[in-house]
Amino acid sequence: MKKICLLVLMSIVLSACASRDKVKKPTAAERARELAQIKTQLAIQYMSTKQYRQAVDAIDEALKVNGKSTDAWLIRAQIWQFLKEPAKAEDSFQHALSLNSGSPEINNNYGWFICDVKQNPNAAIPYFDKALADPTYPTPEVAQLNKGICSQRMGQYQLAKSYFERALAANPNFIPVKKEMARTSLESGNANEAHNYFAQYLSQIDNPSADDLLLGWKIERSLGNSQAAYEYEAQLRTNFPYSDELGKISTGQY
């Protein structure tokens, strides 16, 4: 029985070895793509932990290995956008688009860059439309939200609301939409509606950002609720004492 077991074990091992021998070894190009993807993921992790220098180094290493990685170029664009280096972000977006002009992710992110950083919301809309034209785009609610925000910045409030409604139709649990609906309602002169949307938004988040608190302050000020507005300001002073949002209140910009 021991001899039989040994023979069986040997046959299994030999079979496994033979199977491994048959496995095709990755080509140099495949290894480069895999390494670039690993470096790109590493860059994302560095950004999430605010290790910005390491993020830049990792994404540059990814592109050195595989300069045709659209994922790496897109992440590089987002890193430089976050670090307020628009020229480097623009260069990265252009590289990504030259490699895959039809990518919904690239088009959506570049559209937001044009709208928010270059402050040209009208020029951004076609890029969101291109992203939304792809039926395989997994997060159309993001492009609809961005489209709504940019429309709101152009004073097209009803159009913005229609895009926000489309975002919620695509994903009813997409929380940021409620905040932007509140902002749009406030900008269009309906503070009560803004208050209702903002309350829905706050009920679904744990830690309001500085921008959240400033929006809440503006809504309460518009409604004449000075005590509620003061409470938002107090939270800004406690949690974000050096923020631009608090600075705008303190200097009377609102």
Side-chain angles (χ1 to χ4, degrees):
M1 180 64 70
K2 288 182 180 179
K3 288 183 178 180
I4 294 173
C5 290
L6 182 60
L7 289 171
V8 171
L9 179 60
M10 288 178 64
S11 67
I12 292 172
V13 172
L14 289 171
S15 176
C17 291
S19 297
R20 282 198 296 270
D21 289 339
K22 292 178 182 178
V23 174
K24 184 181 177 182
K25 292 183 179 179
T27 65
E30 289 170 339
R31 288 197 300 272
R33 285 195 295 269
E34 183 178 357
L35 181 57
Q37 195 65 28
I38 292 171
K39 292 289 186 180
T40 300
Q41 290 298 323
L42 188 59
I44 295 171
Q45 291 176 19
Y46 280 136
M47 283 298 291
S48 68
T49 55
K50 299 182 179 181
Q51 299 180 71
Y52 305 125
R53 185 182 297 276
Q54 291 89 334
V56 170
D57 290 343
I59 204 64
D60 284 347
E61 288 173 8
L63 288 166
K64 189 179 294 185
V65 173
N66 181 14
K68 293 185 178 181
S69 171
T70 54
D71 289 342
W73 281 115
L74 179 56
I75 295 302
R76 185 178 188 270
Q78 293 176 316
I79 290 172
W80 286 119
Q81 182 175 343
F82 178 83
L83 295 176
K84 302 186 186 305
E85 291 282 355
K88 293 179 179 179
E90 174 73 37
D91 176 71
S92 301
F93 276 123
Q94 291 301 328
H95 271 92
L97 286 167
S98 71
L99 291 167
N100 188 356
S101 62
S103 165
E105 290 81 8
I106 296 171
N107 278 285
N108 173 66
N109 282 278
Y110 186 52
W112 180 245
F113 173 75
I114 293 172
C115 177
D116 191 54
V117 177
K118 302 182 79 170
Q119 298 184 8
N120 191 351
N122 189 52
I125 300 299
Y127 289 95
F128 300 136
D129 288 339
K130 196 165 186 178
L132 291 165
D134 187 337
T136 67
Y137 185 29
T139 55
E141 65 272 18
V142 177
Q144 294 286 10
L145 172 65
N146 289 341
K147 198 174 178 182
I149 294 172
C150 298
S151 297
Q152 182 268 327
R153 292 182 181 182
M154 291 186 284
Q156 300 171 350
Y157 302 122
Q158 288 302 318
L159 196 57
K161 287 181 180 179
S162 72
Y163 295 140
F164 295 146
E165 289 168 359
R166 293 178 193 179
L168 287 175
N171 183 356
N173 298 316
F174 193 40
I175 299 172
V177 177
K178 294 292 185 178
K179 174 184 175 180
E180 296 308 325
M181 292 179 85
R183 195 193 308 275
T184 299
S185 295
L186 180 65
E187 292 291 331
S188 62
N190 194 336
N192 285 309
E193 184 178 73
H195 184 273
N196 291 334
Y197 283 133
F198 194 63
Q200 294 173 40
Y201 169 71
L202 287 180
S203 70
Q204 295 178 293
I205 64 170
D206 295 323
N207 300 304
S209 68
D211 184 64
D212 294 339
L213 296 173
L214 177 59
L215 179 57
W217 180 88
K218 291 167 68 177
I219 291 171
E220 297 303 337
R221 289 269 295 187
S222 296
L223 291 169
N225 298 332
S226 56
Q227 180 58 37
Y230 172 78
E231 289 173 4
Y232 280 118
E233 183 179 343
Q235 289 184 66
L236 270 171
R237 293 188 184 280
T238 300
N239 300 322
F240 306 97
Y242 306 109
S243 65
D244 291 339
E245 288 79 3
L246 180 59
K248 290 175 180 177
I249 294 176
S250 301
T251 57
Q253 292 185 41
Y254 290 113

